[in-house]
């Protein structure tokens, strides 16, 4: 059994791709390699600083704050250090 429209044509052939999506074109990567390296590096720095802060003080809130601050401040620096 095949799906056919009122005019006898196949319903699959009359389907059009959604707006902004074209057939045969690769949409590309979600993140560039540069952005991936910057985000992973900033995350790693945040984990190290947060972990060391927790080990030295035992204060969870302070460790989270220190880790987030270190990660946020390292992202622009890593962006400039890692070539595009």
């Amino acid at each position: 059994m095949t799906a056919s429209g009122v005019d006898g044509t196949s319903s699959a052939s009359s389907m059009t791709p959604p707006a902004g999506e074209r057939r045969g074109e690769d949409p590309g990567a979600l993140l560039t390699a540069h952005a991936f390296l910057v985000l992973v590096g900033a995350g790693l720095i945040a984990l190290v600083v947060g972990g060391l802060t927790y080990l030295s003080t035992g204060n969870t809130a302070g460790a989270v704050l220190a880790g987030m601050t270190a990660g946020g401040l390292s992202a622009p620096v890593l962006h400039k250090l890692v070539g595009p």
Side-chain angles (χ1 to χ4, degrees), residues 2-75:
T2 61
S4 58
V6 176
D7 58 356
T9 60
S10 172
S11 63
S13 65
S14 65
M15 291 180 59
T16 58
E21 182 179 323
R22 296 188 177 121
R23 293 183 185 172
E25 290 184 12
D26 187 21
L30 181 62
L31 287 174
T32 63
H34 180 260
F36 177 76
L37 286 174
V38 168
L39 290 175
V40 167
L44 185 62
I45 290 171
L47 285 174
V48 168
V49 169
L52 290 175
T53 303
Y54 179 76
L55 290 176
S56 68
T57 64
N59 185 357
T60 306
V64 169
L65 184 61
M68 290 177 63
T69 302
L73 291 176
S74 67

